[in-house]
Amino acid sequence: MSPGNEHPHQVSCQLLLIGGGGHALVVAEAALLSDWVLCGVHDDADAPSVCNMFGLPRRGTISALLSGPAPATDGVRWHLALGNLQIRARLADRLAGDAATILHPRASVAPSARVAAGVFVGAMAVVHTAASLGPHAIINTSAVVEHECVVGANTHVAPGAVLGGNVRVGAHTLIGLGARLAPGIAVGDGCVVGAGAVVVRDVPDGTRVRGVPARPF
Ligand code: JB3
């Protein structure tokens, strides 16, 4: 990673998970494997899965974080560990500073890649040479982000999706399970690319596409 990026293996940092469901399970395990110390969870469920599995206290709800005055995080590092892109965007706006980047130890992230704060990169994912990941992006299990790709803030590249070289994806976009984006393609902000789609043309902001080749729907 380039200078100024976070080191993936920070030792003994306290980490608060925002979200306690399925995505949090995956994030929590990756964090523990990367030597983070988990100190609690915010989730609306009374007994979130991640609390049960890892013996973590529930420290508050997501609804409370979204309402009222902006909550103080008091220097504790936090990570958006839920999949809902709308809720993630609202939380990212409200929780200033100290977002933790979690890179699974079996992810491959090129030293030349730029990785912003709050990013998650899952097991067996590949982020290749000179790629750039915006704040709170999710590169999920076994996804591939090829050379010089740009992935915008809070965009989720779902498990098994592949971005060819020089692909640009905007902010708050979902690239579905196993989708393929041809080299050089641009996908805008707030888009949805359906699972298994093959994208061979640029996708404008706010557009949903699916199929092979991908078309708006
Ligand atoms: O497909 C994969 C590999 N992962 C998926 C992940 C990216 O997204 C996973 O299978 C799920 O589809 C989803 O995981 P997530 O976000 O952990 O799932 P879920 O249990 O639905 O949501 C976790 C928590 O987010 C909930 O317990 C709520 O606390 C919170 N949440 C989600 N939507 C919400 C809302 N909270 C509020 N207040 N309002 C919402 O609309």
Side-chain angles (χ1 to χ4, degrees):
M1 289 186 290
S2 51
N5 283 351
E6 294 186 63
H7 192 280
H9 300 302
Q10 300 193 3
V11 175
S12 296
C13 283
Q14 296 261 314
L15 179 65
L16 190 60
L17 297 178
I18 314 296
H23 188 54
L25 290 176
V26 172
V27 170
E29 197 152 70
L32 290 168
L33 287 168
S34 307
D35 296 329
W36 289 90
V37 174
L38 304 181
C39 60
V41 177
H42 282 253
D43 196 87
D44 285 0
D46 289 335
S49 313
V50 74
C51 292
N52 296 333
M53 178 158 286
F54 295 103
L56 299 171
R58 188 179 74 139
R59 296 200 177 277
T61 64
I62 288 173
S63 295
L65 292 177
L66 289 169
S67 60
T73 46
D74 294 331
V76 173
R77 311 294 300 278
W78 51 272
H79 186 90
L80 297 178
L82 72 165
N84 182 318
L85 291 186
Q86 288 73 36
I87 301 295
R88 289 172 60 85
R90 289 173 58 195
L91 289 166
D93 282 347
R94 291 176 62 75
L95 300 173
D98 287 329
T101 300
I102 310 294
L103 309 179
H104 193 287
R106 286 191 294 283
S108 172
V109 180
S112 57
R114 295 194 63 80
V115 179
V119 163
F120 174 73
V121 183
M124 310 312 290
V126 177
V127 179
H128 232 309
T129 310
S132 174
L133 308 177
H136 310 291
I138 301 172
I139 311 302
N140 223 323
T141 316
S142 294
V144 176
V145 176
E146 263 296 348
H147 63 89
E148 300 165 276
C149 283
V150 177
V151 176
N154 192 39
T155 277
H156 178 190
V157 182
V162 178
L163 278 51
N166 267 308
V167 163
R168 285 155 293 141
V169 181
H172 314 298
T173 282
L174 173 61
I175 308 295
L177 289 166
R180 302 275 191 270
L181 276 58
I185 286 297
V187 176
D189 297 337
C191 295
V192 176
V193 173
V198 175
V199 182
V200 295
R201 292 201 174 88
D202 289 356
V203 178
D205 290 348
T207 305
R208 301 159 71 92
V209 299
R210 66 182 176 192
V212 181
R215 295 196 168 88
F217 69 98

